[in-house]
Amino acid sequence: MPRPTSDVQAFEAHATDADLDDLRARLAVARLPEAETVHRAAPGHRRWEQGVPLADLVDVVNYWRTGYDWRSFEERLDRIGQFRTTIDDLGIHFLHRRSARADATPLLLTHGWPGSIAEFIDVVDELADPKDAAAPAFHVVVPSLPGFGYSDKPATTGWGTERIAAAWVELMERLGYSKFAAHGGDWGGNITTVLGGRFPAHVLGIHTTFAEAPPGLTTDGLTAVERKWTEETRDFWRHRAAYAKQQATRPQTIGYSLVDSPVGLLAWILDKFAEWSDTEDSPFETISRDRVLDDVTLYWLTRTGASSARIYYESHNSLDPELRVDVPSAISMYPRDIEKCPRPWAQERYRQIVRWRAPEIGGHFPSLEVPEYFVKDLKEGLAAVLAANR
């Protein structure tokens, strides 16, 4: 007799030895291009200007093949607690760590691309059971986006951010959390904005590192720093967003390479970790090789290079211009993130900003780059959000 679709089932991550052996074999026989034609010594050039430098890639590939331990990551996921459930006919995978504290607040954390649940595994324990008894505690839920990780791959179009947000509300209700706080960055920030705007009866408030203003706002009245933010964001979308255009228009085409070649997948993702993190040369200045490879290997073993890219096809530039968020909102703009929204612009969409921060360090992946600061900022932001509900 089939189980009801409302069932939540325990899940364990376990790649087969054959899949891990196949990965190492593919890495051993990879065909690589010649080195890039720009060098650090050349005036005005950066080593990563043409993408991932050959020497850096070779170093990571060799470590991936001979030193990296995927089983350790699987064990960490299992210790946190993994589950799956079916929502709207799609299997959704998620981490769920309940706090021991009676006063804990349900908290939904949503990742983006090229991230995954790996972005949050280093911060879940401190959020659920903080060392400081005076700090807020949370029942932490971390879903894998549709087409990512151990969630199912949609077989039809229609799984954009609005539908995902509705599925997240159903997921939280299914876990007994009719009201919850939400955090996200990148696509997770977009989805968190939709959650706050569309589902105020369920969302206590939001914390986000990705605030997207309504279109058409003027730079009149902005500070010099805020004007620089808008210029940097415009430059990013004009000159450094080819990946987004590719995935928004031809996700299937790039998907063949991402699913067939582990080196191609690594380079595609490593390029973003390098360019979007707060570093001078290499992403490994702040993010460990193991954590980057946890993320990349998860994409590889689940064959989600194409299916994850489709979120751009489904949702690129799709946030409703008229959407407004009236629940309490805490917003942090990290200095090396790829999009930074001036507060006067953010206030046009987020009507109740209870805390605004512009940290001095950190980029697009703060939970990996500056995890201690990220947790502190998230706790303080959510404390302000929850105080506004009292």
Side-chain angles (χ1 to χ4, degrees), residues 98 318 363:
R98 283 190 60 84
S318 69

Side-chain angles (χ1 to χ4, degrees), residues 199-235:
F199 301 97
H202 296 277
V203 178
L204 297 167
I206 67 172
H207 180 282
T208 184
T209 60
F210 179 82
E212 190 169 350
L217 299 181
T218 176
T219 58
D220 293 347
L222 297 185
T223 66
V225 170
E226 290 169 338
R227 285 175 181 267
K228 184 180 179 184
W229 284 7
T230 66
E231 292 166 3
E232 289 172 346
T233 299
R234 184 169 57 248
D235 178 78

Side-chain angles (χ1 to χ4, degrees), residues 30-365:
R31 294 175 55 184
L32 301 176
E34 66 286 350
E36 61 284 357
T37 56
V38 294
H39 303 283
R40 174 187 275 176
H45 290 300
R46 297 178 299 108
R47 286 197 320 118
W48 291 70
E49 185 173 306
Q50 292 183 2
V52 183
L54 177 64
D56 297 66
L57 187 77
V58 168
D59 179 64
V60 179
V61 166
N62 287 338
Y63 177 70
W64 198 7
R65 183 172 61 86
T66 63
Y68 169 70
D69 181 12
W70 168 255
R71 296 299 185 203
S72 174
F73 181 65
E74 288 182 329
E75 290 167 4
R76 292 192 70 182
L77 294 180
D78 289 339
R79 283 200 300 271
I80 292 171
Q82 298 190 88
F83 304 86
R84 270 177 53 98
T85 191
T86 300
I87 300 173
D88 202 2
D89 296 324
L90 194 77
I92 298 297
H93 166 267
F94 60 97
L95 306 179
H96 186 198
R97 171 82 153 80
R98 283 190 60 84
S99 174
R101 290 253 299 267
D103 63 342
T105 300
L107 172 62
L108 177 71
L109 305 178
T110 307
H111 67 84
W113 183 96
S116 66
I117 55 173
E119 288 184 60
F120 297 119
I121 66 167
D122 289 327
V123 303
V124 167
D125 286 346
E126 178 58 24
L127 290 171
D129 293 302
K131 300 180 184 69
D132 181 0
F138 303 93
H139 302 305
V140 184
V141 179
V142 188
S144 295
L145 290 169
F148 288 70
Y150 298 110
S151 285
D152 285 354
K153 304 175 179 71
T156 61
T157 59
W159 274 97
T161 53
E162 294 267 352
R163 190 173 180 181
I164 294 170
W168 281 188
V169 172
E170 171 63 25
L171 170 63
M172 295 300 277
E173 284 198 301
R174 197 167 290 183
L175 297 175
Y177 305 138
S178 60
K179 293 181 182 256
F180 58 92
H183 161 83
D186 194 90
W187 283 111
N190 185 300
I191 292 163
T192 298
T193 294
V194 176
L195 281 166
R198 300 283 190 229
F199 301 97
H202 296 277
V203 178
L204 297 167
I206 67 172
H207 180 282
T208 184
T209 60
F210 179 82
E212 190 169 350
L217 299 181
T218 176
T219 58
D220 293 347
L222 297 185
T223 66
V225 170
E226 290 169 338
R227 285 175 181 267
K228 184 180 179 184
W229 284 7
T230 66
E231 292 166 3
E232 289 172 346
T233 299
R234 184 169 57 248
D235 178 78
F236 171 80
W237 284 110
R238 283 182 177 176
H239 303 295
R240 298 186 290 134
Y243 78 96
K245 299 299 184 184
Q246 175 70 36
Q247 296 189 161
T249 59
R250 292 293 189 271
Q252 189 71 12
T253 300
I254 189 62
Y256 294 111
S257 299
L258 302 180
V259 172
D260 184 63
S261 168
V263 170
L265 176 69
L266 172 63
W268 191 247
I269 292 178
L270 184 59
D271 182 78
K272 303 313 165 202
F273 275 103
E275 189 177 19
W276 300 353
S277 56
D278 188 6
T279 55
E280 294 302 317
D281 181 67
S282 165
F284 305 122
E285 293 167 24
T286 57
I287 307 173
S288 73
R289 287 188 302 181
D290 282 338
R291 194 59 68 243
V292 170
L293 288 174
D294 289 340
D295 183 66
V296 176
T297 309
L298 179 60
Y299 277 88
W300 174 257
L301 292 172
T302 56
R303 305 185 184 192
T304 48
S307 56
S308 62
R310 290 191 192 108
I311 194 169
Y312 287 81
Y313 179 87
E314 296 288 352
S315 296
H316 200 46
N317 294 326
S318 69
L319 191 62
D320 182 357
E322 304 301 320
L323 182 67
R324 297 296 180 267
V325 178
D326 292 319
V327 300
S329 302
I331 299 173
S332 295
M333 295 282 107
Y334 283 85
R336 287 288 295 275
D337 207 342
I338 57 178
E339 289 194 55
K340 294 184 288 292
C341 180
R343 181 167 184 168
W345 285 12
Q347 288 172 170
E348 294 298 314
R349 188 187 300 274
Y350 306 86
R351 302 299 186 85
Q352 192 185 169
I353 298 177
V354 295
R355 186 175 183 271
W356 177 276
R357 290 293 182 274
E360 295 183 357
I361 58 172
H364 192 67
F365 308 97

